[in-house]
Short mmCIF file of all heavy atoms in Angstrom, two decimals:
data_model
loop_
_atom_site.label_atom_id
_atom_site.label_comp_id
_atom_site.label_asym_id
_atom_site.label_seq_id
_atom_site.Cartn_x
_atom_site.Cartn_y
_atom_site.Cartn_z
N VAL A 41 22.38 -16.58 18.15
CA VAL A 41 23.33 -16.64 19.27
C VAL A 41 24.75 -16.78 18.75
O VAL A 41 25.66 -16.08 19.19
CB VAL A 41 22.98 -17.79 20.24
CG1 VAL A 41 24.14 -18.09 21.19
CG2 VAL A 41 21.72 -17.46 21.03
N LEU A 42 24.97 -17.68 17.79
CA LEU A 42 26.32 -17.86 17.25
C LEU A 42 26.84 -16.57 16.63
O LEU A 42 28.00 -16.22 16.80
CB LEU A 42 26.35 -19.00 16.23
CG LEU A 42 26.03 -20.40 16.76
CD1 LEU A 42 26.17 -21.42 15.63
CD2 LEU A 42 26.89 -20.78 17.94
N LEU A 43 25.97 -15.86 15.91
CA LEU A 43 26.38 -14.58 15.34
C LEU A 43 26.65 -13.56 16.44
O LEU A 43 27.60 -12.78 16.35
CB LEU A 43 25.30 -14.03 14.39
CG LEU A 43 25.11 -14.78 13.07
CD1 LEU A 43 23.92 -14.19 12.31
CD2 LEU A 43 26.37 -14.76 12.23
N GLY A 44 25.84 -13.58 17.48
CA GLY A 44 26.00 -12.64 18.59
C GLY A 44 27.29 -12.85 19.36
O GLY A 44 27.81 -11.92 19.99
N LEU A 45 27.81 -14.05 19.32
CA LEU A 45 29.08 -14.34 20.00
C LEU A 45 30.28 -14.01 19.12
O LEU A 45 31.42 -14.16 19.55
CB LEU A 45 29.13 -15.80 20.43
CG LEU A 45 28.21 -16.16 21.58
CD1 LEU A 45 28.16 -17.67 21.77
CD2 LEU A 45 28.66 -15.47 22.86
N GLY A 46 30.05 -13.54 17.92
CA GLY A 46 31.15 -13.28 17.01
C GLY A 46 31.94 -12.03 17.31
O GLY A 46 33.12 -11.96 17.00
N ASP A 47 31.32 -11.04 17.93
CA ASP A 47 32.00 -9.77 18.18
C ASP A 47 33.01 -9.86 19.32
O ASP A 47 34.02 -9.18 19.31
CB ASP A 47 30.99 -8.67 18.50
CG ASP A 47 30.09 -8.37 17.30
OD1 ASP A 47 30.48 -8.69 16.17
OD2 ASP A 47 29.00 -7.83 17.52
N GLU A 48 32.71 -10.65 20.30
CA GLU A 48 33.58 -10.77 21.46
C GLU A 48 33.83 -12.24 21.73
O GLU A 48 32.95 -13.06 21.52
CB GLU A 48 32.90 -10.15 22.69
CG GLU A 48 32.63 -8.66 22.53
CD GLU A 48 31.93 -8.07 23.75
OE1 GLU A 48 32.09 -8.62 24.85
OE2 GLU A 48 31.24 -7.07 23.57
N PRO A 49 35.02 -12.58 22.20
CA PRO A 49 35.28 -14.00 22.45
C PRO A 49 34.42 -14.58 23.56
O PRO A 49 34.09 -15.76 23.55
CB PRO A 49 36.77 -14.04 22.80
CG PRO A 49 37.13 -12.65 23.16
CD PRO A 49 36.16 -11.74 22.48
N VAL A 50 34.06 -13.75 24.55
CA VAL A 50 33.26 -14.23 25.67
C VAL A 50 32.25 -13.16 26.04
O VAL A 50 32.57 -11.98 26.07
CB VAL A 50 34.17 -14.52 26.91
CG1 VAL A 50 33.34 -14.94 28.09
CG2 VAL A 50 35.22 -15.58 26.58
N ARG A 51 31.04 -13.58 26.33
CA ARG A 51 29.98 -12.67 26.78
C ARG A 51 29.26 -13.29 27.95
O ARG A 51 29.16 -14.51 28.05
CB ARG A 51 28.95 -12.42 25.68
CG ARG A 51 29.40 -11.55 24.56
CD ARG A 51 28.20 -11.26 23.65
NE ARG A 51 28.54 -10.39 22.58
CZ ARG A 51 28.09 -9.15 22.47
NH1 ARG A 51 27.28 -8.66 23.36
NH2 ARG A 51 28.44 -8.41 21.45
N THR A 52 28.69 -12.45 28.79
CA THR A 52 27.80 -12.99 29.81
C THR A 52 26.49 -13.34 29.12
O THR A 52 26.16 -12.79 28.07
CB THR A 52 27.53 -11.99 30.94
OG1 THR A 52 26.82 -10.87 30.40
CG2 THR A 52 28.83 -11.52 31.60
N GLN A 53 25.73 -14.25 29.72
CA GLN A 53 24.44 -14.61 29.13
C GLN A 53 23.54 -13.38 29.02
O GLN A 53 22.86 -13.20 28.02
CB GLN A 53 23.75 -15.69 29.98
CG GLN A 53 24.36 -17.04 29.81
CD GLN A 53 23.66 -18.14 30.59
OE1 GLN A 53 24.20 -19.22 30.66
NE2 GLN A 53 22.51 -17.91 31.15
N GLY A 54 23.56 -12.51 30.04
CA GLY A 54 22.74 -11.31 30.01
C GLY A 54 23.15 -10.35 28.91
O GLY A 54 22.30 -9.81 28.20
N ALA A 55 24.45 -10.13 28.74
CA ALA A 55 24.94 -9.23 27.69
C ALA A 55 24.63 -9.80 26.31
O ALA A 55 24.28 -9.07 25.39
CB ALA A 55 26.44 -8.99 27.86
N LEU A 56 24.76 -11.10 26.17
CA LEU A 56 24.44 -11.76 24.91
C LEU A 56 22.96 -11.56 24.58
O LEU A 56 22.61 -11.19 23.46
CB LEU A 56 24.78 -13.24 24.97
CG LEU A 56 24.36 -14.09 23.77
CD1 LEU A 56 25.03 -13.61 22.49
CD2 LEU A 56 24.65 -15.56 24.03
N ALA A 57 22.10 -11.82 25.55
CA ALA A 57 20.66 -11.66 25.32
C ALA A 57 20.34 -10.24 24.89
O ALA A 57 19.58 -10.03 23.94
CB ALA A 57 19.88 -12.03 26.58
N GLN A 58 20.93 -9.27 25.57
CA GLN A 58 20.68 -7.87 25.22
C GLN A 58 21.18 -7.57 23.80
O GLN A 58 20.51 -6.91 23.02
CB GLN A 58 21.35 -6.94 26.22
CG GLN A 58 21.07 -5.48 25.98
CD GLN A 58 21.66 -4.58 27.05
OE1 GLN A 58 22.39 -5.02 27.92
NE2 GLN A 58 21.34 -3.31 26.97
N ALA A 59 22.36 -8.08 23.46
CA ALA A 59 22.94 -7.81 22.14
C ALA A 59 22.10 -8.37 21.00
O ALA A 59 22.06 -7.78 19.92
CB ALA A 59 24.36 -8.38 22.07
N ILE A 60 21.44 -9.50 21.23
CA ILE A 60 20.65 -10.11 20.15
C ILE A 60 19.16 -9.79 20.26
O ILE A 60 18.36 -10.28 19.49
CB ILE A 60 20.87 -11.63 20.07
CG1 ILE A 60 20.38 -12.35 21.32
CG2 ILE A 60 22.33 -11.94 19.77
CD1 ILE A 60 20.41 -13.87 21.23
N GLY A 61 18.80 -8.98 21.27
CA GLY A 61 17.41 -8.57 21.41
C GLY A 61 16.50 -9.66 21.93
O GLY A 61 15.34 -9.74 21.53
N ALA A 62 17.03 -10.51 22.80
CA ALA A 62 16.23 -11.60 23.37
C ALA A 62 16.12 -11.43 24.87
O ALA A 62 16.99 -10.85 25.51
CB ALA A 62 16.89 -12.95 23.06
N ASP A 63 15.05 -11.96 25.42
CA ASP A 63 14.91 -12.02 26.86
C ASP A 63 15.92 -13.04 27.38
O ASP A 63 16.05 -14.13 26.81
CB ASP A 63 13.48 -12.45 27.21
CG ASP A 63 13.26 -12.51 28.71
OD1 ASP A 63 13.52 -13.59 29.28
OD2 ASP A 63 12.86 -11.49 29.28
N LYS A 64 16.64 -12.68 28.46
CA LYS A 64 17.71 -13.59 28.90
C LYS A 64 17.19 -14.93 29.38
O LYS A 64 17.89 -15.93 29.27
CB LYS A 64 18.60 -12.92 29.97
CG LYS A 64 17.93 -12.55 31.24
CD LYS A 64 18.92 -11.84 32.15
CE LYS A 64 18.23 -11.33 33.38
NZ LYS A 64 19.13 -10.58 34.23
N THR A 65 15.96 -14.99 29.84
CA THR A 65 15.41 -16.29 30.24
C THR A 65 15.01 -17.11 29.01
O THR A 65 15.05 -18.33 29.04
CB THR A 65 14.20 -16.14 31.18
OG1 THR A 65 13.19 -15.38 30.51
CG2 THR A 65 14.59 -15.45 32.47
N ARG A 66 14.67 -16.43 27.91
CA ARG A 66 14.26 -17.11 26.68
C ARG A 66 15.41 -17.88 26.02
O ARG A 66 15.20 -18.93 25.42
CB ARG A 66 13.68 -16.10 25.69
CG ARG A 66 13.31 -16.72 24.36
CD ARG A 66 12.75 -15.66 23.40
NE ARG A 66 12.73 -16.12 22.04
CZ ARG A 66 11.77 -16.87 21.51
NH1 ARG A 66 10.78 -17.28 22.24
NH2 ARG A 66 11.83 -17.23 20.25
N ILE A 67 16.61 -17.35 26.14
CA ILE A 67 17.72 -18.00 25.42
C ILE A 67 18.36 -19.14 26.21
O ILE A 67 19.22 -19.83 25.66
CB ILE A 67 18.79 -16.99 24.97
CG1 ILE A 67 19.54 -16.37 26.14
CG2 ILE A 67 18.21 -15.95 24.05
CD1 ILE A 67 20.80 -15.66 25.72
N ILE A 68 17.94 -19.38 27.43
CA ILE A 68 18.55 -20.46 28.23
C ILE A 68 18.44 -21.80 27.49
O ILE A 68 19.42 -22.52 27.36
CB ILE A 68 17.92 -20.55 29.63
CG1 ILE A 68 18.13 -19.25 30.41
CG2 ILE A 68 18.47 -21.75 30.40
CD1 ILE A 68 19.55 -18.89 30.67
#
Side-chain angles (χ1 to χ4, degrees):
V41 165
L42 296 183
L43 290 175
L45 288 170
D47 295 339
E48 298 179 26
V50 176
R51 286 187 178 248
T52 65
Q53 286 183 190
L56 173 61
Q58 184 176 6
I60 64 173
D63 181 271
K64 63 183 174 183
T65 59
R66 176 181 164 82
I67 67 166
I68 299 298

